[in-house]
Amino acid sequence: MADVNFVPRPVVAPAAARVGPADSAAPLPDLDFELIELMFFAYRDFVAEPDQTLAAIGFGRAHHRVLHFVNRQPGLRVTDLLETLRITKQSLGRVLKQLIDDGYVEQTPGAVDRRERLLAPTEKGRRLALDLAGRQHARLEAALADLPAEGRDHVRGFLSRMIDPAPRAGLVALDPAEES
Amino acid sequence: MADVNFVPRPVVAPAAARVGPADSAAPLPDLDFELIELMFFAYRDFVAEPDQTLAAIGFGRAHHRVLHFVNRQPGLRVTDLLETLRITKQSLGRVLKQLIDDGYVEQTPGAVDRRERLLAPTEKGRRLALDLAGRQHARLEAALADLPAEGRDHVRGFLSRMIDPAPRAGLVALDPAEES
DNA sequence: CCAGATAAGTCAATATGGCTGACGTAAATT
DNA sequence: AATTTACGTCAGCCATATTGACTTATCTGG
């Protein structure tokens, strides 16, 4: 067990067999390199399919992320999106403009605060977002299919705990020296 | 259950509460958006820490990947690395050159095939690779800590099955029409 | 032994998606 | 009335990826 389905790399040959003296016998620390690599390969293949679909219509991964969250939370503000994605206004501006110009996302002024531009997917945008999400969902489902019921919760819990807690917006300003 | 530790987004307000008419009641297909987002946030935070360390010495994520696999399989060839990372020779070239120039990676001509340049980390390279891997390992361990013994296997199996099978190098040339 | 394949490196151009810094404008808040 | 906030935009920089073309050294099969 432990390397259940591990196929990613070419694994051409033991590699170390090609070097002569490089067998430096330094006791490698007990790190789970394999799990680290699983994260890398899993994420890479997780986004590969959407990437292809997007490339065909002149979009990239950045457009996907924006469209995804706009579709998930219609009516969200630009600022919300910036915080969610943790990118700058300028970076967002570029891709958002394209999404709007190409008719995937709509902007409407906020009803209560008219400075806000609330974002929502158009029907076209919703279709694309759901198409992309559908592929990713299918892949996730396939990977979860063999697991027992608790397995799904384990995976979900694991991923949740890999996430840094959201930076508490207001409360950070306190200088530790000020504590006295 | 199901949203065990889900904290990522700012979640400023229900969002839909700000739009008036946008409640288009279209029956959203039954996709696990939350899990899709967990993948996104988990991976983002998984690489964030290494990214910071690397930025301090003028390296980026690309250097991390190269150094990681060189450290993992000392003596591997440039070609192996290209296949593992699925990038082009030119992309690799730039990054690899920097790693060599800065003394993190060494090249030695293959003993049997002298065209090959076998890659191995220097002591300095090994230290950096292990430092980065150590942080990622710690984060993974923390996320796995709460799980029961089988939980770890579930996570591992899930990630493994998220990976596309390696393209069988030689066997692809067969045109289906040629089958007859 | 030589022709051709292979391993690696390199030059040049291009695209994407991040970033900083500096401004501008409209609307809300104090 | 002054300030802050939400958003947009111009300009430039950097990292990382791409394609295409070419060179050099070396290995391998006929």
Side-chain angles (χ1 to χ4, degrees), chain A residues 5-171:
Chain A
N5 258 337
F6 196 62
V7 266
R9 269 163 299 100
V11 186
V12 191
R18 274 194 299 271
V19 246
D23 200 345
S24 72
L28 269 212
D30 191 19
L31 300 179
D32 197 337
F33 290 109
E34 192 179 288
L35 189 53
I36 290 174
E37 286 153 21
L38 282 174
M39 285 291 291
F40 169 62
F41 292 118
Y43 190 76
R44 190 237 263 140
D45 292 348
F46 175 63
V47 291
E49 235 182 311
D51 277 358
Q52 268 199 304
T53 304
L54 289 156
I57 53 175
F59 286 163
R61 208 172 287 182
H63 301 87
H64 185 187
R65 298 198 279 255
V66 171
L67 180 60
H68 174 90
F69 286 109
V70 167
N71 185 58
R72 262 284 269 185
Q73 308 180 46
L76 99 180
R77 300 170 304 163
V78 170
T79 305
D80 302 337
L81 208 39
L82 291 180
E83 285 171 17
T84 300
L85 300 175
R86 291 199 203 148
I87 60 175
T88 58
K89 202 181 6 168
Q90 295 88 329
S91 298
L92 174 60
R94 227 180 351 220
V95 294
L96 184 54
K97 188 170 190 319
Q98 287 177 274
L99 285 167
I100 292 168
D101 289 349
D102 293 8
Y104 291 90
V105 170
E106 272 177 347
Q107 270 177 328
T108 55
V112 329
D113 184 336
R114 305 205 323 275
R115 288 171 306 179
E116 298 172 347
R117 311 291 169 87
L118 307 186
L119 304 171
T122 61
E123 185 47 41
K124 186 181 176 188
R126 191 159 23 243
R127 268 202 308 277
L128 177 56
L130 292 179
D131 176 31
L132 297 171
R135 292 161 193 273
Q136 294 192 309
H137 178 79
R139 180 177 285 265
L140 290 165
E141 269 310 308
L144 291 170
D146 292 353
L147 296 181
E150 344 80 67
R152 302 174 89 94
D153 291 339
H154 292 153
V155 167
R156 208 177 276 273
F158 162 73
L159 290 175
S160 298
R161 285 186 298 271
M162 285 291 289
I163 298 172
D164 287 330
R168 317 280 351 245
L171 303 179

Side-chain angles (χ1 to χ4, degrees), chain B:
Chain B
M1 71 205 102
D3 61 328
V4 200
N5 258 337
F6 196 62
V7 264
R9 271 163 298 97
V11 185
V12 191
R18 272 193 300 269
V19 246
D23 200 345
S24 72
L28 269 211
D30 190 19
L31 300 178
D32 196 337
F33 290 108
E34 191 179 289
L35 188 54
I36 290 174
E37 286 152 21
L38 283 174
M39 286 290 291
F40 169 62
F41 292 117
Y43 190 76
R44 190 236 264 142
D45 292 348
F46 175 64
V47 291
E49 233 182 313
D51 277 358
Q52 268 200 307
T53 304
L54 290 156
I57 53 174
F59 286 164
R61 209 173 286 184
H63 302 85
H64 186 188
R65 296 197 282 256
V66 171
L67 180 60
H68 174 91
F69 286 108
V70 167
N71 185 58
R72 262 284 271 185
Q73 307 179 48
L76 99 174
R77 300 170 305 164
V78 170
T79 305
D80 302 336
L81 209 38
L82 292 179
E83 285 171 18
T84 299
L85 300 176
R86 292 202 201 143
I87 59 176
T88 58
K89 200 181 7 166
Q90 294 87 331
S91 297
L92 175 60
R94 186 180 37 88
V95 171
L96 184 54
K97 190 171 187 314
Q98 288 177 276
L99 284 167
I100 292 169
D101 290 349
D102 293 7
Y104 291 89
V105 170
E106 271 176 348
Q107 269 178 328
T108 56
V112 330
D113 185 336
R114 301 203 330 271
R115 288 173 306 179
E116 299 173 346
R117 310 291 171 88
L118 307 186
L119 304 170
T122 62
E123 186 47 42
K124 186 182 176 188
R126 189 158 26 242
R127 268 201 309 275
L128 177 56
L130 292 179
D131 177 31
L132 297 172
R135 293 162 193 271
Q136 295 192 308
H137 177 80
R139 178 177 285 265
L140 290 165
E141 271 309 309
L144 291 170
D146 292 352
L147 296 180
E150 342 82 67
R152 303 175 86 95
D153 291 340
H154 293 154
V155 167
R156 209 176 275 273
F158 162 74
L159 291 174
S160 298
R161 285 185 299 272
M162 286 292 288
I163 299 172
D164 287 329
R168 317 280 351 245
L171 304 179
V172 267
L174 203 55
D175 185 328
E178 228 125 57
E179 271 269 36
S180 75

